[in-house]
Short mmCIF file of all heavy atoms in Angstrom, two decimals:
data_model
loop_
_atom_site.label_atom_id
_atom_site.label_comp_id
_atom_site.label_asym_id
_atom_site.label_seq_id
_atom_site.Cartn_x
_atom_site.Cartn_y
_atom_site.Cartn_z
N ALA A 148 0.53 -20.81 -25.94
CA ALA A 148 0.18 -19.39 -26.03
C ALA A 148 -0.21 -19.03 -27.47
O ALA A 148 -1.18 -18.29 -27.70
CB ALA A 148 1.34 -18.52 -25.56
N ALA A 149 0.54 -19.58 -28.44
CA ALA A 149 0.25 -19.30 -29.85
C ALA A 149 -1.12 -19.86 -30.24
O ALA A 149 -1.90 -19.21 -30.93
CB ALA A 149 1.34 -19.90 -30.73
N TYR A 150 -1.40 -21.08 -29.77
CA TYR A 150 -2.71 -21.69 -30.07
C TYR A 150 -3.84 -20.90 -29.41
O TYR A 150 -4.89 -20.69 -30.00
CB TYR A 150 -2.75 -23.14 -29.59
CG TYR A 150 -2.19 -24.12 -30.60
CD1 TYR A 150 -1.05 -24.87 -30.32
CD2 TYR A 150 -2.80 -24.29 -31.84
CE1 TYR A 150 -0.53 -25.76 -31.25
CE2 TYR A 150 -2.28 -25.18 -32.77
CZ TYR A 150 -1.15 -25.92 -32.48
OH TYR A 150 -0.64 -26.79 -33.39
N ARG A 151 -3.58 -20.45 -28.16
CA ARG A 151 -4.62 -19.66 -27.46
C ARG A 151 -4.94 -18.39 -28.25
O ARG A 151 -6.09 -18.04 -28.45
CB ARG A 151 -4.14 -19.30 -26.05
CG ARG A 151 -4.25 -20.44 -25.05
CD ARG A 151 -4.19 -19.92 -23.63
NE ARG A 151 -2.91 -19.31 -23.32
CZ ARG A 151 -1.90 -19.95 -22.75
NH1 ARG A 151 -2.02 -21.21 -22.41
NH2 ARG A 151 -0.77 -19.33 -22.49
N GLU A 152 -3.84 -17.76 -28.70
CA GLU A 152 -3.99 -16.51 -29.45
C GLU A 152 -4.79 -16.75 -30.74
O GLU A 152 -5.69 -16.00 -31.09
CB GLU A 152 -2.59 -15.98 -29.79
CG GLU A 152 -2.58 -14.55 -30.23
CD GLU A 152 -1.18 -14.12 -30.67
OE1 GLU A 152 -0.19 -14.78 -30.26
OE2 GLU A 152 -1.09 -13.16 -31.42
N LYS A 153 -4.45 -17.85 -31.42
CA LYS A 153 -5.14 -18.17 -32.67
C LYS A 153 -6.63 -18.41 -32.42
O LYS A 153 -7.48 -17.93 -33.17
CB LYS A 153 -4.49 -19.41 -33.30
CG LYS A 153 -5.08 -19.76 -34.65
CD LYS A 153 -4.38 -20.94 -35.28
CE LYS A 153 -5.08 -21.34 -36.57
NZ LYS A 153 -4.46 -22.51 -37.20
N LEU A 154 -6.93 -19.14 -31.32
CA LEU A 154 -8.34 -19.43 -31.03
C LEU A 154 -9.12 -18.17 -30.68
O LEU A 154 -10.29 -18.04 -31.06
CB LEU A 154 -8.43 -20.46 -29.89
CG LEU A 154 -8.10 -21.89 -30.31
CD1 LEU A 154 -8.02 -22.81 -29.10
CD2 LEU A 154 -9.14 -22.43 -31.29
N VAL A 155 -8.45 -17.26 -29.97
CA VAL A 155 -9.13 -15.99 -29.63
C VAL A 155 -9.50 -15.25 -30.92
O VAL A 155 -10.61 -14.75 -31.10
CB VAL A 155 -8.23 -15.11 -28.73
CG1 VAL A 155 -8.77 -13.70 -28.63
CG2 VAL A 155 -8.12 -15.73 -27.34
N LEU A 156 -8.52 -15.22 -31.86
CA LEU A 156 -8.77 -14.55 -33.15
C LEU A 156 -9.88 -15.23 -33.92
O LEU A 156 -10.77 -14.58 -34.49
CB LEU A 156 -7.48 -14.55 -33.98
CG LEU A 156 -6.43 -13.54 -33.58
CD1 LEU A 156 -5.15 -13.78 -34.34
CD2 LEU A 156 -6.93 -12.13 -33.86
N LEU A 157 -9.84 -16.56 -33.93
CA LEU A 157 -10.87 -17.31 -34.65
C LEU A 157 -12.25 -17.07 -34.05
O LEU A 157 -13.22 -16.83 -34.78
CB LEU A 157 -10.54 -18.81 -34.61
CG LEU A 157 -9.52 -19.30 -35.64
CD1 LEU A 157 -9.09 -20.71 -35.33
CD2 LEU A 157 -10.10 -19.24 -37.05
N ASP A 158 -12.31 -17.11 -32.70
CA ASP A 158 -13.61 -16.90 -32.04
C ASP A 158 -14.14 -15.51 -32.35
O ASP A 158 -15.34 -15.33 -32.57
CB ASP A 158 -13.47 -17.10 -30.51
CG ASP A 158 -13.38 -18.57 -30.16
OD1 ASP A 158 -13.82 -19.40 -30.98
OD2 ASP A 158 -12.87 -18.90 -29.07
N SER A 159 -13.21 -14.55 -32.36
CA SER A 159 -13.64 -13.18 -32.64
C SER A 159 -14.15 -13.07 -34.08
O SER A 159 -15.18 -12.45 -34.35
CB SER A 159 -12.47 -12.25 -32.34
OG SER A 159 -12.53 -11.13 -33.11
N ALA A 160 -13.42 -13.70 -35.02
CA ALA A 160 -13.84 -13.67 -36.43
C ALA A 160 -15.18 -14.39 -36.60
O ALA A 160 -16.06 -13.92 -37.35
CB ALA A 160 -12.77 -14.31 -37.30
N ILE A 161 -15.35 -15.51 -35.89
CA ILE A 161 -16.62 -16.27 -35.97
C ILE A 161 -17.77 -15.40 -35.45
O ILE A 161 -18.84 -15.34 -36.07
CB ILE A 161 -16.50 -17.60 -35.18
CG1 ILE A 161 -15.61 -18.58 -35.95
CG2 ILE A 161 -17.88 -18.22 -34.93
CD1 ILE A 161 -15.24 -19.84 -35.18
N ALA A 162 -17.52 -14.73 -34.33
CA ALA A 162 -18.58 -13.89 -33.74
C ALA A 162 -18.99 -12.77 -34.70
O ALA A 162 -20.18 -12.51 -34.90
CB ALA A 162 -18.11 -13.31 -32.42
#
Side-chain angles (χ1 to χ4, degrees):
Chain A
Y150 274 116
R151 282 198 295 266
E152 195 185 339
K153 184 177 175 182
L154 284 172
V155 167
L156 283 172
L157 278 169
D158 285 338
S159 151
I161 287 171

